[in-house]
Amino acid sequence: MPIAAFCAILLSSLVVALVSGRGNARDDAKDFFVASGKFGGFLVFFLSAGESYSVGSILGFPAGVIANGTSFAVWFLGYIVLAYPVAYFLSPALWTMGRRYDAVTVADLFGAHFGHRGLELVVAISSILFLIPMGVMQFTGFLVAFHGLGWPIPPSAAVCGAAVLTFAYVIVSGIRAPAYVSIIKDILLLAAIVVVGAVSLRAIGHLPPQARHAPAVLSTPLSPRQMRFDISTILLQAVGFCLVPQAFAFNFTSRSARIVRRTQIIMPLYLVMFPFLIAVASFAIQSRVAAGTPNEVFVAVAGALLPGALSGIVIAAVTLAALVVSAAACLTIGALVSRNLLHGLSDGRQRQGARIVIAIYLLCSVAGTQFANGVMTTLNTMLYLGVPQLLPCVICMLGRVAVPPPFLAAGIVAGDMTAMSLYWAGIAVGGVNVGWVGLLANGLVVLAGKGFAWLHSRGTVRIPGIALPEHEGGIRPE
């Protein structure tokens, strides 16, 4: 029964993906990547929610709570809550700028606005590098869920099948496939989380006193150092949440800035899942449910407390969460390579090149699952150290600040290298998230560029090959 329910849901999602492009008159690269900017509020909402609440949330959140306790829950919930008011103001402005330049990717936007090929390349390369772990994380989550199904299929064959299904999603309908499949995924996922959380609460109440193990990790007070890290991480990732490469692409699918803004108003409703996920983590701690790793806790609790068919539906919902996010990452990377790295390709070659890139990315993601260990949310650290480094570019674009584009490009490189070097070296800077140290280095380079612009305007200094950008600067959203 669990396997039958699992297969039926995945088959239904494939049918939805295949028919999602029916009736669409256009068949060009822009339509493939961002649906020609014609999505209404319904699809923009589900597409954005599908990316925001991935397998990292469903499996990674209970795992993080079990592994790190209160500190993890504080920053995870804190940055998501803060991200929505930030996106309410920022995302419509970015949509407006994207529509002005007919942008499809984040690199399109900054390259066109600042008129600099080097900046476009830096943004494209950094975005690709920080998106690479996304596919690995999603397929790792898929393997965790699939293991709970008990199907006697080798993990390598299972993850290859998931990659083929993801490829099928995007190859026919482009961005429309993950948008429509997200509708099925979100309905099933929310229902699964609420059901598993509710039965976990009920099971906690029925545990005999002698069998209970107090979840001390959930009540451990935060040290001042942990508080500094949590607060700095919340602020950094709230901004980074709005600047991930997929977020730009999702914004560009919308018909208007108003739709983008309304989506941010509704998105917090999804936070209802987290109290139930905390209940799952609490039950796992108190009952010591059998789970190989913290990442397996959600699926293990569902298998222990739910009948067979329902556990199959839960596993299918988690699988769809992984595949939808993987599909969106595939399209984003495909567009960045075919439009920005391979500059000047024809429309047909952009789509052909993107399909090849997507296939290679999926193969690399499948191979990467062999080396992914530990709590899955660790892979997200890479992304959220890198994407906030776009903030100075955003400020200069929307705030009409004239800075030579080479300084903006150099600032991104300096910020990325600083943050990543400190992270991998394990160097703590007063307990503050090292992404802020990267942003400081980034900002200093940009300020140097602003100083050059001021000297340039006074005729004090001239540097061959570096000139002020000629653009109108920021504009207000509709």
Side-chain angles (χ1 to χ4, degrees), residues 149-340:
L149 197 61
W151 202 348
I153 294 179
S156 57
V159 75
C160 286
V164 170
L165 186 55
T166 304
F167 189 74
Y169 280 169
V170 301
I171 203 67
V172 176
S173 306
I175 193 65
R176 285 182 167 81
Y180 280 91
V181 174
S182 286
I183 299 173
I184 301 174
K185 166 255 184 188
D186 284 0
I187 293 173
L188 288 177
L189 197 62
L190 282 173
I193 291 171
V194 170
V195 169
V196 177
V199 296
S200 295
L201 283 173
R202 183 174 182 273
I204 291 173
H206 286 78
L207 285 174
Q210 64 273 18
R212 296 184 185 181
H213 305 276
V217 68
L218 299 180
S219 58
T220 303
L222 299 181
S223 68
R225 186 182 185 86
Q226 287 175 317
M227 286 296 294
R228 286 195 299 272
F229 179 80
D230 286 350
I231 292 172
S232 62
T233 302
I234 287 169
L235 296 174
L236 181 73
Q237 293 191 181
V239 175
F241 188 85
C242 308
L243 300 180
V244 293
Q246 305 98 302
F248 285 87
F250 297 159
N251 286 338
F252 297 156
T253 65
S254 174
R255 287 201 303 261
S256 70
R258 183 173 297 176
I259 288 174
V260 173
R261 184 182 293 111
R262 287 177 176 174
T263 298
Q264 303 307 320
I265 296 174
I266 305 172
M267 288 280 282
L269 292 176
Y270 274 76
L271 293 171
V272 70
M273 70 172 64
F274 290 104
F276 292 97
L277 289 174
I278 291 175
V280 172
S282 181
F283 171 76
I285 294 171
Q286 294 192 53
S287 65
R288 294 184 178 177
V289 65
T293 67
N295 291 327
E296 299 176 31
V297 162
F298 181 81
V299 175
V301 170
L305 299 180
L306 296 180
L310 282 180
S311 66
I313 293 173
V314 169
I315 293 171
V318 175
T319 298
L320 287 182
L323 301 189
V324 165
V325 175
S326 294
C330 286
L331 288 164
T332 303
I333 288 181
L336 286 166
V337 173
S338 63
R339 290 180 62 87
N340 303 119

Side-chain angles (χ1 to χ4, degrees), residues 72-88:
F72 181 90
V74 167
W75 77 256
F76 196 102
L77 292 175
Y79 93 82
I80 292 178
V81 170
L82 183 58
Y84 294 126
V86 173
Y88 178 84

